[in-house]
Amino acid sequence: PEPILEVRDLTVHFYTYAGIVKAIERVSFDVYRGETFALVGETGCGKSVTSRALTQLIESPGRIVEGQVLYHREDGSTVDLLKLSEEEIRDVRGKEIAYIFQDPHASLDPLYTVGYQIAEAMVVHNTVKDWKEGFRKAVDILRRVLIPDPESRVKNYPHELSGGMKQRVVIGTGVSNNPKILIADEPTTALDVTVQAQILDLMNKLKEEYNTTVILITHNMGVVAEMADRVAVMYAGKIVEIGSVDQIFKNPLHPYTQGLLRAVPNPMAKIERLETIPGTVPNLIEPPSGCRFHPRCPRVMGICKEKVPELKEMEPGHFVACHLY
Ligand code: SF4
Ligand code: MG
């Protein structure tokens, strides 16, 4: 497999009055072209921060303090996305790398029609020659995301659509420029269960059609099982395990991953929460020493409080950061 992204030592800190929040520390992973790569973990583990940092989408008081995000284009060229200027990265974002966020209500502007908003996504990146072409393409896009009667829906305002339809519009906006990478942050969490399944199906269909690489951010192991090829498990701002879906579900190595999977008796049920692991997510101003999971780990040893475990490859493609190995 050929990487489209190589993320190395990505570190983001938030400079708050209470202290420096070490939101993510030296996060490294590869994403392969054409795959669905899931970043999974509890709320606050740093998965959203990681996904946003990939295109410098970190707002003050946050700052990317270290790292590289090497993006390999199809023409063979490579850029470090963290080195691009504000203007250059803004052009990459939305065009080559697009985001879908959790809440479709917040992603759409109530003052403009959905057609206008989809057309605008193309106009600002010059992927259409004018607004007229943008509006015409918006109708096609609504059809592609399976919105019935797209010719009239294109003139609707967001409040005239259901939550599921709004998220389809958001996805349509996301894929309007045929991005190479689509980053979807909890794309179905705000929706009811039946609509969630439809949206996941739609994302899979679009990915097949366009061969888009997908980075899926989720707290839901059922969604991972259904959608992903590979998974990175995050805990307290660090990646603790990476592997294929098979490796992670059949042979989870990290005690945290094992806990996550125990918390989900049926990973396909899609309704579980991850809060069943005892203890609370640590404060990232003063994270636990050594392994950040040690205060909650059922298998903690002396060394765990002293030394930060590094990711080690245990079988081809299966990495774990834990002193048990
Ligand atoms: Fe548990 Fe130690 Fe492994 Fe951390 S390094 S997960 S504390 S056994
Ligand atoms: Mg989040």
Side-chain angles (χ1 to χ4, degrees):
E2 173 202 344
I4 185 166
L5 278 187
E6 291 178 85
V7 180
R8 293 294 174 264
D9 296 324
L10 189 58
T11 301
V12 176
H13 292 171
F14 287 81
Y15 297 82
T16 71
Y17 288 112
I20 301 171
V21 179
K22 291 144 196 130
I24 60 169
E25 281 290 301
R26 301 190 49 228
V27 163
S28 300
F29 57 90
D30 292 345
V31 179
Y32 301 137
R33 202 178 293 283
E35 77 171 344
T36 296
F37 181 81
L39 275 173
V40 68
E42 291 161 296
T43 302
C45 70
K47 55 196 194 299
S48 295
V49 172
T50 302
S51 70
R52 297 175 68 95
L54 298 177
T55 68
Q56 303 184 29
L57 207 54
I58 299 290
E59 278 146 32
S60 176
R63 205 163 75 214
I64 300 169
V65 295
E66 196 191 329
Q68 280 185 316
V69 178
L70 301 178
Y71 168 45
H72 302 286
R73 290 196 168 100
E74 269 159 4
D75 64 9
S77 65
T78 296
V79 283
D80 181 351
L81 295 176
L82 303 187
K83 295 235 162 69
L84 297 184
S85 69
E86 184 84 30
E87 199 180 324
E88 290 166 327
I89 194 70
R90 222 183 297 131
D91 196 44
V92 169
R93 214 188 286 136
K95 187 174 172 187
E96 292 176 87
I97 302 181
Y99 285 86
I100 298 170
F101 294 109
Q102 176 172 335
D103 183 4
H105 316 281
S107 304
L108 294 171
D109 189 327
L111 298 180
Y112 295 94
T113 64
V114 300
Y116 179 91
Q117 296 184 59
I118 296 172
E120 187 187 31
M122 294 180 281
V123 169
V124 298
H125 290 294
N126 297 309
T127 52
V128 286
K129 58 177 196 302
D130 53 24
W131 279 92
K132 201 165 155 232
E133 190 189 348
F135 277 110
R136 202 173 58 240
K137 280 208 164 165
V139 176
D140 293 339
I141 286 166
L142 290 183
R143 191 173 295 121
R144 241 189 259 166
V145 295
L146 309 177
I147 288 189
D149 194 11
E151 286 86 356
S152 74
R153 285 298 185 186
V154 78
K155 297 178 204 119
N156 279 173
Y157 287 87
H159 73 87
E160 297 174 279
L161 303 177
S162 67
M165 277 218 245
K166 272 189 256 198
Q167 194 61 319
R168 285 170 194 275
V169 170
V170 171
I171 292 171
T173 312
V175 300
S176 60
N177 294 310
N178 292 334
K180 301 300 172 200
I181 302 176
L182 187 62
I183 300 176
D185 188 350
E186 305 270 14
T188 62
T189 304
L191 307 171
D192 4 324
V193 179
T194 47
V195 182
Q196 285 186 17
Q198 294 164 9
I199 296 289
L200 295 177
D201 283 349
L202 172 66
M203 287 186 53
N204 272 335
K205 170 183 153 303
L206 292 171
K207 175 179 144 58
E208 293 306 313
E209 267 175 45
Y210 299 101
N211 193 33
T212 314
T213 303
V214 176
I215 300 177
L216 179 67
I217 316 304
T218 183
H219 67 278
N220 186 320
M221 289 304 260
V223 171
V224 173
E226 188 161 321
M227 301 286 287
D229 299 300
R230 289 192 313 125
V231 196
V233 180
M234 289 192 76
Y235 182 78
K238 306 274 287 179
I239 289 185
V240 298
E241 187 163 0
I242 304 182
S244 68
V245 164
D246 251 29
Q247 287 168 337
I248 298 289
F249 279 78
K250 292 193 180 136
N251 184 26
L253 295 174
H254 197 281
Y256 177 65
T257 314
Q258 292 168 353
L260 281 187
L261 288 167
R262 262 197 307 276
V264 191
N266 173 6
M268 304 311 282
K270 283 198 241 151
I271 43 167
E272 92 305 334
R273 288 277 177 273
L274 300 181
E275 284 111 17
T276 38
I277 297 172
T280 52
V281 174
N283 158 8
L284 294 180
I285 293 175
E286 279 173 85
S289 60
C291 172
R292 290 182 176 192
F293 189 54
H294 85 248
R296 292 172 82 183
C297 183
R299 303 189 60 185
V300 59
M301 307 170 286
I303 187 181
C304 303
K305 294 171 194 164
E306 314 279 314
K307 197 166 173 252
V308 178
E310 299 294 330
L311 280 171
K312 267 186 259 173
E313 192 166 21
M314 301 301 294
E315 53 178 324
H318 191 178
F319 296 82
V320 66
C322 170
H323 293 306
L324 289 171
Y325 305 96

